[in-house]
Amino acid sequence: MDTTADASQGWMTSGPGAQRRILCQDKALMMVEFMFEKDGVGVPHSHPHVQTTFVSSGQFEFTVGGDTQTLNPGDALIIPSNVEHSCLCLQAGKLLDSFAPRRDDFMAAHGLPLE
């Protein structure tokens, strides 16, 4: 079993009012937890990875490819490869994101080896 526990001390700033930690990963797939303060922002960006996002708690306004929707706990979405997306945290909460393949840029930023 290939896992990485970035766990308790692995939190790092990922944007205004937002932090992330890597929960597990291998070359094909990665799971990352994001924690947002109210009014925290996931700034507009895109990447070649396919992304899933699950709203664990809080309320978020997501814009994906120009379409904006409000997501609540239990809601999920898929963000296709290379599509610009962003979010605004309306109520403090957490997101669980998966990326395929793994985000090697996240690995490097967290000081984790690329094995």
Side-chain angles (χ1 to χ4, degrees):
M1 174 185 325
D2 288 330
T3 64
T4 298
D6 198 16
S8 61
Q9 57 214 6
W11 288 101
M12 71 177 300
T13 299
S14 64
Q19 295 187 327
R20 71 169 183 249
R21 66 178 173 162
I22 297 170
L23 297 177
C24 59
Q25 60 81 28
D26 72 14
K27 291 179 184 178
L29 183 64
M30 166 183 268
M31 182 180 282
V32 179
E33 182 178 24
F34 289 84
M35 183 169 40
F36 282 81
E37 300 170 2
K38 183 182 183 316
D39 299 322
V41 176
V43 297
H45 66 286
S46 65
H47 43 73
H49 315 83
V50 174
Q51 175 179 338
T52 64
T53 297
F54 173 78
V55 180
S56 176
S57 63
Q59 185 179 56
F60 295 83
E61 181 180 270
F62 274 87
T63 301
V64 179
D67 181 29
T68 301
Q69 295 184 20
T70 300
L71 277 73
N72 297 293
D75 292 341
L77 72 145
I78 294 177
I79 301 169
S81 175
N82 296 313
V83 172
E84 185 173 275
H85 54 284
S86 61
C87 72
L88 171 64
C89 182
L90 303 175
Q91 295 176 9
K94 291 184 179 181
L95 304 174
L96 292 175
D97 289 4
S98 293
F99 299 93
R102 168 181 74 194
R103 295 279 308 253
D104 287 350
D105 58 329
F106 283 10
M107 296 290 288
H110 284 257
L112 299 171
L114 300 176
E115 297 175 352

